[in-house]
Amino acid sequence: MIERLAADVVVIGGGAAGANAALKARALGLEPLMLVKGFLGRSGGSLLAAFLVMPTPPKNDRRAELDAAVRYYNHYLADEDYILEVQRYAREEFFPELEQRGLYIRREENGKIALSPFGSLGIMSPGKYGDAGRLVMDLRRKEVFGQGLRVREQTMATAIVVRDGEAIGVCALDLLTGRLLAISAKAVILATGHTDQLATRATGTRDQCANGLAMAYRAGAEMRNLEMQWWHANDIKSPASWSRVQTYPNPLLGTKEVARHYNNRGDMFFDLHAAPGSPAPYTLQLRRLAQQVQQGLARWDGEYYASYSHIDPAPIRKYNLVADFYDKLGLDVGRDRVECAVTWHMRQGGINVKPLTMETNVEGLFIAGAVGGHTLGNLVYVSHDGQAAACRSAERARRAKAVALTDAEVDREAARVLGFLRSEPRDGVQPAALKREIRQVMWDHMGYVKSEAGMRAGLEKIERLRREKFPRLRLATTSTRWNRAWIDALDADDMLTVAEITIRSSLHRKESRGPFYREDYPVTDHEHWLRHTILRRDARGEPVITSAPVNLKWVTPPAKQEDFFKTDY
Amino acid sequence: MSPTTTGPDATLREGELLALRIARRDPTTDADVRWETYQVPYAERMRVLDALEYVNERLGGDVAYQWFCGARRCGQCAMVVNGRAQLTCWEPAERTMTIEPLRNLPLVRDLVTDRAPYEDLLRALDPQVKRAAPYAGFPEPLPDMPDVNTLTACIECLACHSECPVVTSGDRSFLGPTAIVQLGRFVLDVRDRRDLDGVTLTDAQVARCQSCRACEAACPAGIAIVPAAVEKVRTKIRAVTGR
């Protein structure tokens, strides 16, 4: 019934971070095993990365890059030493290595890279703008399989096994067969990405159900800045499944123009070129949208529009994927506006790590990529993290002895996972319906505009779902063969946990910063809140919140307090 | 008033009930397909995938199907709808829909098929750029490659693989349209100098195409597979091998 395996390093997650971790571990002479809930490179958030950014001569301005990362993408909750290291990695390793392996970054007819300036950086893409992640991951997938690495696809990790404070293995479920896996490992690298499917409208993939954060939390890992959750202001409103189709506020490829956004009266309220030079237009765009909503000129779920009608449609069609989506809806990208709505997006927060080594507070448990709380993440950052995590875990794996998981350790998790495989009570709750309710509570209470009362009411609803509906989950069938409802039940457990700790972290931070807006505290208060929110489980399993200082030397805030709506980051 | 909400699905009204007839089967326990029907209220610009999600989230359907991105990238939600293979996150919902799994692949359960035979075929082709010259450093001097760009849009959803009559006939020597498109991405790349005369790539693997273009009607990326992939790869093979 239970398949026992061993590996030097178990890598959980099949995106850019996980693939890079496994490849680096192999390069260092280790025997890695990858566990992927869906398919390597095809089921996680890396797939949806739209473009690549890199420093472009003649600017090549490292100070401006540092400023962009610290201020605009991490709202000062960043580690400068880490960002400088990623900048080095981008220049010296990431781009040359991918191109050498065959990545074809789109060229113009004159042979120059199709490039759009974006602050101190340049936007480029293999394929069309919008397809970068798919093509980078296509290459990584072929590389991992080409090197013969062990990969278990459609296999969902369900627990990190910890003994005496050290991670010693992983329990997993083979979704095709229903077989449980007990894997002993000298090190575990968690690379499960963002927790995008936590609200009704979300940018992530179906598989991004907070499993990684929940597993790490249960294993005793500390969380950091979980409240730093981004929203998108510019995703297409309908059809529902296209909630991750974006009308980017960033520069397009093939033209110097950018999309404009209009309210329900037809007035333009956002155009990056009209904004004061922010290289992170997302948070700024949300603030402008909030002002429209306050005046009744837009809603969070619609009644505002993106438009490309001021731009020559030829380069949009040639270099930008969004034109295909317009065409499919019967819209003319050179003329028509498309209705937008906000969407739960990436999270700057996550698991607390030492960002240069990717170590957590749990010995033997390493983090790579966006599941970490050290940075917002993009393909470059998370690829770096995969390599860094592999390097440090290799040091551990070389000196550690493999420890077999005991029957008691495996049986405990097996009981939890198999416990969901029941068709009683007959009037019970189906897991897909519970997931939908969780996402609805987060949509209603944890949207872009937050308040103490709204969040407390949301927390109460989440706790009620946990208390009243979760114990009554039932599956339509107890088949163990690709039983989607079984996966949904495991997801629902993790989503309830992460929804709860996300709300608690958000209640703790009594200010507004970057993507995090509380209407009851509309000030960015560096004097009191330029600190990381740290959340962990105490001995009784209850969440405890403390805080930790930031590591900033060069980029510092301009004042002790700032009016949130006047900040541009 | 929304300025632009018309489209190909404009004849369906918000709330109008759509009829779904779904093929259910677990091949380890069920000898035959069991058909189940559901009614789903139409919502603005609804895709086939949205209707399936409604069945599971609101009607307790528990139908097995696979999807990840919902945005024409992961290529994992292709199914046969009203007899034609299509990407379900991409194509609009219709008033009546009969939904079946893709053809020419083993069934896992309900609408989930096993991609392994295709993945094995692709892996055997070693679909990566095989360089003739050493890498010159980033950015390397490269031209615009419009033929490659066209094929790069392929998301390997296998809708064309499901529609192809040569694949359906069981001719194992033929690669099938998806694998030929993927092969074309590298064969047509100016950097690639693979041995086209080698054992893995014979003309027959490409030449068995009947040019019926059934594959193209199914392609969500709109690739003209026969002229853009099959014929270009065939020409390249002949130029290199002299066959």
Side-chain angles (χ1 to χ4, degrees):
Chain A
M1 184 68 195
I2 293 173
E3 183 180 349
R4 287 190 175 260
L5 297 166
D8 289 329
V9 183
V10 171
V11 178
I12 305 171
N20 270 52
L23 287 163
K24 186 71 176 181
R26 165 55 64 87
L28 293 168
L30 301 181
E31 184 60 48
L33 168 65
M34 286 186 81
L35 302 176
V36 187
K37 190 180 175 190
F39 295 99
L40 206 170
R42 291 186 174 140
S43 53
S46 295
L47 175 75
L48 295 163
F51 50 79
L52 300 171
V53 285
M54 83 160 287
T56 51
K59 288 181 184 161
N60 228 342
D61 182 346
R62 300 194 65 164
R63 174 57 200 247
E65 276 180 68
L66 183 67
D67 193 58
V70 171
R71 177 178 164 93
Y72 292 99
Y73 282 88
N74 294 287
H75 339 292
Y76 296 104
L77 299 175
D79 185 300
E80 286 178 347
D81 295 327
Y82 165 75
I83 289 166
L84 290 169
E85 167 56 16
V86 176
Q87 287 176 7
R88 182 206 62 75
Y89 167 78
R91 284 177 169 79
E92 297 174 11
E93 298 183 45
F94 181 82
F95 285 96
E97 192 258 342
L98 278 175
E99 195 177 61
Q100 180 167 23
R101 290 195 180 279
L103 190 74
Y104 174 55
I105 293 172
R106 190 71 187 261
R107 262 51 172 192
E108 293 176 355
E109 280 159 29
N110 60 13
K112 282 189 178 160
I113 288 181
L115 188 77
S116 274
F118 185 36
S120 56
L121 302 166
I123 282 181
M124 62 184 91
S125 184
K128 289 182 179 176
Y129 177 119
D131 244 352
R134 182 176 69 79
L135 293 164
V136 168
M137 290 318 299
D138 173 65
L139 194 134
R140 287 285 181 237
R141 179 179 170 83
K142 285 166 178 159
E143 202 181 340
V144 168
F145 284 114
Q147 291 195 20
L149 300 193
R150 276 196 299 171
V151 183
R152 294 288 290 252
E153 293 187 304
Q154 300 192 85
T155 299
M156 177 180 179
T158 64
I160 296 157
V161 182
V162 176
R163 190 191 298 165
D164 302 329
E166 286 190 47
I168 55 165
V170 173
C171 290
L173 174 65
D174 182 327
L175 305 176
L176 265 176
T177 62
R179 186 187 290 202
L180 299 173
L181 277 57
I183 309 158
S184 71
K186 296 171 188 168
V188 176
I189 298 176
L190 187 66
T192 49
H194 291 291
T195 55
D196 278 275
Q197 288 293 316
L198 272 188
T200 303
R201 284 181 52 84
T203 58
T205 68
R206 172 189 195 277
D207 268 12
Q208 293 178 271
C209 292
N211 310 114
L213 283 185
M215 265 188 287
Y217 181 62
R218 287 196 294 265
E222 290 176 351
M223 305 288 131
R224 181 166 116 172
N225 299 331
L226 286 183
E227 67 279 14
M228 286 295 150
Q229 170 65 44
W230 285 45
W231 286 79
H232 259 172
N234 44 57
D235 293 306
I236 287 180
K237 182 195 170 200
S238 67
S241 55
W242 289 14
S243 65
R244 71 265 312 143
V245 175
Q246 217 190 339
T247 60
Y248 296 88
N250 323 70
L252 296 156
L253 273 190
T255 166
K256 289 194 168 61
E257 300 295 330
V258 292
R260 290 172 176 169
H261 290 82
Y262 292 82
N263 63 23
N264 63 14
R265 215 168 50 191
D267 303 329
M268 184 174 74
F269 70 88
F270 192 83
D271 170 353
L272 181 67
H273 290 332
S278 164
Y282 305 92
T283 54
L284 199 59
Q285 195 179 29
L286 278 162
R287 257 164 258 174
R288 296 286 159 81
L289 178 60
Q291 290 164 335
Q292 302 302 308
V293 173
Q294 280 163 8
Q295 296 169 62
L297 297 173
R299 295 197 323 263
W300 293 110
D301 62 354
E303 279 191 28
Y304 65 97
Y305 306 88
S307 172
Y308 301 87
S309 64
H310 57 294
I311 310 173
D312 175 5
I316 297 184
R317 289 181 189 287
K318 186 168 180 183
Y319 292 111
N320 300 275
L321 210 58
V322 69
D324 293 15
F325 290 85
Y326 254 79
D327 287 349
K328 192 67 183 171
L329 295 178
L331 304 177
D332 182 341
V333 75
R335 186 193 67 206
D336 296 325
R337 295 176 184 180
V338 68
E339 193 171 5
C340 295
V342 300
T343 315
W344 178 279
H345 187 45
M346 297 151 80
R347 190 187 317 231
Q348 195 259 346
I351 298 161
N352 194 23
V353 299
K354 293 180 187 162
L356 290 171
T357 60
M358 300 295 139
E359 292 166 291
T360 67
N361 60 305
V362 178
E363 277 282 310
L365 175 62
F366 301 84
I367 298 303
V371 73
H374 55 303
T375 183
L376 181 69
N378 63 30
L379 283 179
V380 180
Y381 278 79
V382 308
S383 299
H384 160 273
D385 292 358
Q387 294 205 7
C391 288
R392 187 51 69 100
S393 61
E395 289 172 22
R396 177 182 166 81
R398 286 194 192 105
R399 62 168 196 269
K401 277 203 184 109
V403 187
L405 308 188
T406 64
D407 286 346
E409 284 163 339
V410 176
D411 290 349
R412 192 162 52 237
E413 179 61 6
R416 186 183 79 89
V417 172
L418 293 169
F420 292 109
L421 201 61
R422 58 172 190 256
S423 53
E424 300 293 335
R426 298 306 294 176
D427 62 345
V429 179
Q430 294 220 347
L434 178 57
K435 282 175 73 173
R436 185 174 156 269
E437 278 196 73
I438 297 166
R439 294 203 304 265
Q440 187 68 48
V441 171
M442 296 302 274
W443 175 260
D444 292 342
H445 295 272
M446 291 298 291
Y448 178 67
V449 183
K450 299 177 189 67
S451 69
E452 184 84 14
M455 291 192 284
R456 292 237 172 256
L459 182 60
E460 200 172 296
K461 285 186 186 175
I462 290 291
E463 286 172 337
R464 197 181 313 142
L465 290 176
R466 169 69 84 184
R467 214 168 43 238
E468 294 173 6
K469 295 209 168 171
F470 180 71
R472 296 171 46 73
L473 283 180
R474 70 171 287 260
L475 314 189
T477 158
T478 56
S479 164
T480 57
R481 184 178 175 82
W482 213 91
N483 188 341
R484 174 177 159 143
W486 194 9
I487 309 168
D488 283 338
L490 290 160
D491 286 344
D493 194 356
D494 290 349
M495 288 165 71
L496 284 168
T497 297
V498 175
E500 185 208 323
I501 58 179
T502 298
I503 300 175
R504 289 192 187 280
S505 279
S506 304
L507 283 163
H508 177 76
R509 185 174 288 280
K510 292 182 173 53
E511 64 155 357
S512 296
R513 176 181 297 274
F516 181 73
Y517 171 43
R518 287 187 62 153
E519 59 184 348
D520 43 359
Y521 296 99
V523 171
T524 303
D525 184 354
H526 301 297
E527 186 179 7
H528 300 101
W529 292 100
L530 183 52
R531 296 182 67 78
H532 300 301
T533 307
I534 306 293
L535 182 149
R536 62 178 170 78
R537 263 158 73 115
D538 69 9
R540 294 166 301 140
E542 297 298 317
V544 181
I545 295 179
T546 55
S547 74
V550 297
N551 173 23
L552 297 177
K553 293 187 278 285
W554 294 284
V555 183
T556 48
K560 286 181 180 175
Q561 273 92 19
E562 295 182 87
D563 179 341
F564 176 68
F565 273 88
K566 289 188 178 150
T567 59
D568 68 344
Y569 57 89
Chain B
M1 183 64 190
S2 165
T4 50
T5 49
T6 55
D9 49 6
T11 57
L12 292 168
R13 295 182 319 276
E14 193 82 11
E16 179 178 347
L17 290 179
L18 313 180
L20 276 70
R21 187 166 164 266
I22 299 175
R24 310 288 307 271
R25 184 173 170 240
D26 178 344
T28 59
T29 54
D30 307 334
D32 298 312
V33 170
R34 177 166 45 91
W35 292 96
E36 281 183 5
T37 57
Y38 299 93
Q39 288 194 314
V40 171
Y42 180 75
E44 188 179 47
R45 294 176 178 150
M46 182 178 253
R47 304 290 107 178
V48 177
L49 179 63
D50 293 318
L52 282 168
E53 285 288 276
Y54 191 96
V55 168
N56 272 4
E57 290 188 350
R58 311 287 281 271
L59 305 178
D62 190 46
V63 178
Y65 55 90
Q66 189 83 277
W67 72 278
F68 296 108
C69 77
R72 208 194 62 176
R73 294 210 189 39
C74 74
Q76 308 291 313
C77 71
M79 300 166 208
V80 173
V81 181
N82 293 340
R84 297 185 313 275
Q86 57 178 241
L87 196 70
T88 58
C89 75
W90 187 241
E91 299 299 336
E94 299 175 51
R95 192 164 274 121
T96 58
M97 289 179 277
T98 296
I99 307 179
E100 301 168 87
L102 285 184
R103 293 177 280 255
N104 302 331
L105 292 168
L107 179 66
V108 173
R109 191 173 155 207
D110 294 348
L111 304 170
V112 181
T113 43
D114 182 0
R115 298 171 59 94
Y118 165 76
E119 299 287 351
D120 292 345
L121 183 71
L122 189 69
R123 233 165 270 164
L125 293 173
D126 196 9
Q128 304 183 61
V129 167
K130 299 282 169 199
R131 286 180 180 279
Y135 176 62
F138 183 83
E140 66 181 317
L142 282 175
D144 184 20
M145 292 195 268
D147 290 350
V148 172
N149 293 338
T150 301
L151 303 184
T152 296
C154 169
I155 58 170
E156 297 173 89
C157 69
L158 300 180
C160 61
H161 186 85
S162 175
E163 289 293 292
C164 174
V166 186
V167 176
T168 305
S169 77
D171 183 348
R172 299 288 166 120
S173 65
F174 181 57
L175 290 175
T178 317
I180 293 173
V181 168
Q182 288 300 312
L183 185 63
R185 281 179 60 193
F186 304 100
V187 170
L188 303 177
D189 190 307
V190 296
R191 297 168 291 183
D192 192 87
R193 291 286 185 277
R194 70 185 55 228
D195 178 12
L196 291 170
D197 211 9
V199 286
T200 58
L201 185 62
T202 64
D203 191 35
Q205 286 176 297
V206 179
R208 296 273 163 89
C209 169
Q210 297 172 351
S211 303
C212 71
R213 308 185 81 160
C215 51
E216 294 175 18
C219 179
I223 300 171
I225 297 171
V226 173
V230 178
E231 288 171 8
K232 285 206 159 73
V233 171
R234 200 187 273 166
T235 303
K236 181 78 187 254
I237 291 172
R238 285 178 183 158
V240 172
T241 63
R243 283 202 295 265

